[in-house]
Amino acid sequence: MTDVKALEECGKTAVDALEFSRTIVKEGASLLEVTEKIEQFIKDRGFELSFPVNLSINEKAAHYTPGLDDKSVFQKNDIVKVDVGARSGDVLSDCAITIDLSGTNGKIVNAAEKALDEAISLVRAGRKVCEIGSVIEKAVASAGFKPIKNLGGHGIEEEELHAGVFIPNFDNNDDTELEEGSVISIEPFITNGYGYVDETDDVQIYQLVSTAAPRSQEARSILELVAGKYKTYPFAARWIGRELNHLSDFKVRRGITELLSIGTIEPFPVLIERNKGIVAQAEKQLIVEKDSCRIVTKT
Ligand code: MN
Ligand code: MN
């Protein structure tokens, strides 16, 4: 049974963190500092993180979070996807906005938000996921953009951020029906580029997936920290560096590489638009009801 109260508390905190991000994502601000301030905002409210705060800029669509060595600052034309989640125990929230620092990309940002609103207006028990995708695709096309076809919304269960149903951003002919009481997120990613994302070699986020034991001392220390503190929730290499500050960056990287090689952890590579188009995202989490839905991450 979904703990609606706990879910709404997580959702409210995540939404407030997004609003907070609007006040600090500015030209010249450090990505690393901004990310850690948003994460601290959630922790100061007494919550854990569903996953590391993602700040994915321009053609980067998702899964970027700064490393400890990240010296970059926001540029005046950046279009920034801020994707956050607050967690309480095993109850997870997940939502995202896009911030346009240029002042000239309002059209794509609004199109993503409008597609999301139209999709949400369709939600009810029994609705086919391809119908949701179709409405997103049409709304996005009418604004002159393309949906990103290999990203989409998802079911969210306790302990599992991506569970069950996949909610496409286009009509993929999937007749799967939404179930009453299920928790989902809908997240149109849209672009002026090709409409697909590809994985890059840049990885900052990982997740524990097995208990295979590593050999080296540094990998054992990392595994012990992750298993105890982050469990099976995604974590950032940056968090490891902060927590195990007796280990050099080199040893942290080497330990992570060892854990990847034996399959103890899996990577979430940074995803980039195939034609390097700019990407906007809007995401809300909701509970499917008989005739409509209840938005968990209300703005
Ligand atoms: Mn998200
Ligand atoms: Mn999501």
Side-chain angles (χ1 to χ4, degrees):
M1 236 349 248
T2 303
D3 185 341
V4 176
K5 185 164 175 286
L7 200 53
E8 288 189 332
E9 285 170 359
C10 290
K12 172 85 169 79
T13 298
V15 166
D16 289 349
L18 288 180
E19 286 308 313
F20 171 64
S21 77
R22 290 187 190 277
T23 69
I24 58 173
V25 173
K26 300 282 177 198
E27 180 187 353
S30 144
L31 266 70
L32 177 59
E33 281 179 33
V34 165
T35 303
E36 296 202 314
K37 281 181 186 167
I38 300 168
E39 291 181 351
Q40 194 60 46
F41 178 97
I42 292 172
K43 290 180 195 168
D44 286 346
R45 291 277 189 95
F47 290 81
E48 303 292 327
L49 296 153
S50 301
F51 49 85
V53 166
N54 284 213
L55 287 180
S56 306
I57 297 178
N58 301 336
E59 70 274 15
K60 286 181 191 140
H63 297 169
Y64 187 78
T65 198
L68 286 176
D69 57 353
D70 192 316
K71 302 277 190 288
S72 58
V73 297
F74 293 105
Q75 306 295 311
K76 72 171 190 297
N77 288 326
D78 282 349
I79 179 166
V80 185
K81 280 72 67 189
V82 185
D83 197 334
V84 310
R87 169 167 78 82
S88 173
D90 292 322
V91 179
L92 300 162
S93 62
D94 181 13
C95 54
I97 56 171
T98 300
I99 298 173
D100 168 35
L101 293 181
S102 72
T104 60
N105 284 319
K107 201 176 156 209
I108 192 170
V109 174
N110 291 339
E113 289 172 357
K114 189 158 175 283
L116 174 58
D117 289 342
E118 288 190 22
I120 287 175
S121 72
L122 226 62
V123 172
R124 59 165 172 76
R127 177 69 71 193
K128 295 183 173 103
V129 296
C130 64
E131 296 179 280
I132 308 258
S134 174
V135 153
I136 292 172
E137 186 174 26
K138 283 181 188 143
V140 171
S142 73
F145 299 103
K146 292 176 188 165
I148 291 183
K149 292 191 171 179
N150 58 341
L151 289 174
H154 47 94
I156 301 174
E157 291 174 7
E158 294 199 358
E159 287 188 73
E160 197 72 53
L161 188 64
H162 295 113
V165 66
F166 176 76
I167 318 278
N169 288 327
F170 68 108
D171 182 357
N172 68 347
N173 294 317
D174 182 349
D175 283 344
T176 304
E177 295 181 358
L178 298 179
E179 288 177 20
E180 185 173 356
S182 63
V183 181
I184 62 171
S185 88
I186 300 180
E187 50 183 316
F189 282 86
I190 76 176
T191 183
N192 61 0
Y194 187 83
Y196 274 86
V197 289
D198 296 304
E199 294 184 348
T200 68
D201 293 335
D202 187 4
V203 184
Q204 302 291 344
I205 301 174
Y206 304 89
Q207 183 174 18
L208 185 66
V209 291
S210 95
T211 53
R215 270 177 202 213
S216 73
Q217 185 56 52
E218 59 263 23
R220 285 206 300 269
S221 300
I222 294 169
L223 177 56
E224 190 184 350
L225 171 66
V226 171
K229 193 160 182 182
Y230 310 127
K231 294 180 259 186
T232 56
Y233 299 107
F235 63 91
R238 164 171 49 84
W239 297 354
I240 304 299
R242 284 259 188 262
E243 293 279 343
L244 302 178
N245 54 19
H246 59 284
L247 291 181
S248 64
D249 288 354
F250 173 75
K251 282 195 171 175
V252 169
R253 281 283 160 199
R254 198 171 63 181
I256 285 175
T257 302
E258 183 180 343
L259 291 168
L260 282 169
S261 73
I262 60 173
T264 306
I265 61 174
E266 276 184 357
F268 288 94
V270 173
L271 301 174
I272 191 169
E273 212 288 320
R274 187 162 292 174
N275 280 0
K276 300 204 164 48
I278 60 169
V279 178
Q281 173 199 17
E283 178 178 25
K284 285 181 182 169
Q285 181 180 2
L286 49 95
I287 304 171
V288 179
E289 296 185 329
K290 189 165 178 289
D291 297 310
S292 62
C293 68
R294 182 181 182 115
I295 298 174
V296 171
T297 54
K298 264 194 288 280
T299 44

